[in-house]
Amino acid sequence: MTLDGYIEGQNGKLDWLVRDKEIDFGDILNDILRDKDIIFYGRISYDKWGNSQPDENASQKIKDAYKLLHSKQKYVFSKTKKDDNTNAIFINSNIKESVLEIKEQSGKNIWLYGGAKISTTFLNLDLIDEYRLAVHPAILGKGKPLFQNIEDSHKLTLTDAKGYKSGVTLLTYKADRTRNS
């Protein structure tokens, strides 16, 4: 996201994204997926990325990262889509109950991969335990904000911050539910 909180510029533009030369995308994806065994997708993100494959000329590191990505159990939250003939599980209603049930299962962590709509839904249902944000050194002024239509305030505790020469900063926050009451 940008410093002013946008995940897309006007008309869906992403030309503001900093491509960090210090970091290999395969390393980032492997790092994200290392301690996850479930991925939650919003329908739009799933349609764009849920079954994507690396370019045939991609590095072996990228190919391995995509293989790891597709080995995870996928849940797709959608009001309209019910199935796509893959192993993904589609959840069309009772989001909070379904997520709480999934979170009770044994296993590792869950990655919520989605845009503003699914993030807002999960935030308003108080289902997010940890936030990991890559803040890019750009201010757009207009576009699609990550956080919109939030119903209540949510206090967070910073647990990690890492800056890169490119100006990208990776921030990790834990939900502080003791402060939210």
Side-chain angles (χ1 to χ4, degrees), residues 91-109:
I91 297 176
N92 307 108
S93 62
N94 302 319
I95 292 173
K96 186 167 189 166
E97 296 81 7
S98 298
V99 169
L100 292 174
E101 186 178 304
I102 294 164
K103 287 172 79 172
E104 288 296 317
Q105 297 172 9
S106 63
K108 298 178 183 175
N109 295 310

Side-chain angles (χ1 to χ4, degrees), residues 39-154:
I39 303 173
F40 286 166
Y41 286 94
R43 192 219 19 104
I44 295 168
S45 295
Y46 180 75
D47 285 348
K48 285 183 180 178
W49 306 108
N51 294 303
S52 63
Q53 296 295 326
D55 183 274
E56 64 183 40
N57 298 322
S59 70
Q60 189 59 47
K61 196 181 290 190
I62 295 286
K63 289 177 182 177
D64 291 345
Y66 272 85
K67 184 176 180 181
L68 181 61
L69 173 73
H70 295 309
S71 74
K72 308 299 179 178
Q73 177 61 62
K74 299 173 186 179
Y75 290 85
V76 182
F77 295 85
S78 174
K79 293 178 183 172
T80 57
K81 196 170 191 170
K82 310 269 187 230
D83 191 8
D84 72 346
N85 297 316
T86 68
N87 290 332
I89 297 169
F90 286 75
I91 297 176
N92 307 108
S93 62
N94 302 319
I95 292 173
K96 186 167 189 166
E97 296 81 7
S98 298
V99 169
L100 292 174
E101 186 178 304
I102 294 164
K103 287 172 79 172
E104 288 296 317
Q105 297 172 9
S106 63
K108 298 178 183 175
N109 295 310
I110 300 167
W111 181 26
L112 172 61
Y113 182 84
K117 286 182 182 179
I118 191 74
S119 296
T120 297
T121 298
F122 273 58
L123 187 58
N124 285 335
L125 293 173
D126 198 26
L127 293 171
I128 302 174
D129 300 318
E130 182 177 88
Y131 299 78
R132 293 184 187 175
L133 305 170
V135 180
H136 289 249
I139 296 173
L140 300 181
K142 292 181 182 177
K144 182 185 214 176
L146 175 57
F147 300 112
Q148 54 189 343
N149 304 315
I150 304 304
E151 296 169 358
D152 295 307
S153 65
H154 296 264

Side-chain angles (χ1 to χ4, degrees), residues 1-43:
M1 66 187 261
T2 63
L3 185 61
D4 56 346
Y6 293 100
I7 58 172
E8 290 180 2
Q10 290 184 18
N11 301 315
K13 285 190 176 183
L14 297 174
D15 57 350
W16 52 270
L17 283 169
V18 173
R19 306 292 184 205
D20 202 315
K21 291 177 177 45
E22 293 177 55
I23 305 171
D24 183 284
F25 179 66
D27 290 330
I28 293 171
L29 198 51
N30 277 303
D31 185 49
I32 290 169
L33 294 168
R34 182 176 309 123
D35 66 342
K36 314 292 183 302
D37 49 15
I38 293 174
I39 303 173
F40 286 166
Y41 286 94
R43 192 219 19 104

